[in-house]
Amino acid sequence: MNESKSAPCIGQIVLVKKGRDASQFAVIIQNIDGRFVLIADGHKRKFDSPKKKNIQHLICYDYVSPVIQDSIVETGRVTNGKLRWALEKFVEEVVDVFEKGDEFDG
């Protein structure tokens, strides 16, 4: 699980580094410009009231949820349940691996 060096994209999983939501995972639901994105997690930050974040305050992972990306591209929105599901899946599949002793380079 490496940090992404490319521009953030819709459906990408991020870890908040600064602010009130620090150390929480979220999903990018919209790119505003080259510097800001909107993020949501389906719990505290719902799709209808996302948080505007500076990209420099996020760790962007090389993991894009196709479910979230497809839903937003096709309908322009995504359910909070899908956001929660995507984040839980990411934590189970990717983060838990590092808790089992694998090397973490992120």
Side-chain angles (χ1 to χ4, degrees):
M1 175 171 59
N2 296 327
E3 283 187 47
S4 174
K5 304 297 181 210
S6 60
C9 60
I10 291 172
Q12 188 169 14
I13 306 291
V14 298
L15 180 64
V16 180
K17 292 193 297 188
K18 297 207 184 259
R20 186 175 301 194
D21 300 331
S23 76
Q24 294 182 2
F25 289 105
V27 181
I28 294 175
I29 59 169
Q30 183 182 340
N31 281 321
I32 297 174
D33 55 30
R35 215 171 133 202
F36 291 96
V37 294
L38 293 180
I39 61 170
D41 64 9
H43 286 290
K44 195 170 117 183
R45 295 283 175 199
K46 307 280 191 199
F47 178 82
D48 291 328
S49 57
K51 177 70 177 165
K52 180 179 175 183
K53 289 297 282 186
N54 186 324
I55 296 166
Q56 294 178 336
H57 297 168
L58 302 171
I59 297 173
C60 298
Y61 292 106
D62 282 331
Y63 183 96
V64 176
S65 171
V67 173
I68 303 297
Q69 195 172 44
D70 293 346
S71 181
I72 291 175
V73 167
E74 290 170 15
T75 66
R77 58 181 295 114
V78 66
T79 65
N80 292 312
K82 281 185 184 174
L83 288 170
R84 290 189 300 268
W85 176 84
L87 289 170
E88 288 168 13
K89 185 174 182 231
F90 172 75
V91 169
E92 285 173 14
E93 288 182 5
V94 181
V95 177
D96 284 353
V97 169
F98 298 106
E99 292 175 0
K100 294 184 176 106
D102 288 353
E103 190 76 21
F104 179 66
D105 60 358

